[in-house]
Amino acid sequence: MYSSAKGDDVANHLTPEELSKELGLDREEVIRICIEEAVPIYQGKIDKSLFQAQLEASSASRASAA
């Protein structure tokens, strides 16, 4: 199993339900973001790191466009 540099063994691939609970978003919002930002949902799971990075990048680009 992959361990991060910090040494904590936290699951990185989560279901939309798990990810929505962790990030405080609706499940539908998580799926919408995945579709809009081309974050893959593979076998019902989403890479948490990729999702968060894409979410931050899209938020930053929207803030600079405003």
Side-chain angles (χ1 to χ4, degrees):
M1 177 172 192
Y2 171 78
S3 292
S4 70
K6 295 178 187 174
D8 51 348
D9 291 329
V10 179
N12 195 44
H13 291 85
L14 305 173
T15 64
E17 293 81 10
E18 294 167 335
L19 196 53
S20 69
K21 286 178 186 175
E22 281 204 21
L23 300 178
L25 300 169
D26 289 334
R27 177 186 178 275
E28 292 78 19
E29 181 72 4
V30 169
I31 294 170
R32 183 191 65 76
I33 292 168
C34 286
I35 292 168
E36 286 184 2
E37 302 298 331
V39 176
I41 301 173
Y42 182 68
Q43 294 184 349
K45 300 219 175 180
I46 302 163
D47 183 312
K48 179 181 171 183
S49 299
L50 179 61
F51 182 86
Q52 287 180 310
Q54 192 61 40
L55 188 61
E56 289 173 14
S58 66
S59 295
S61 68
R62 286 185 189 136
S64 65

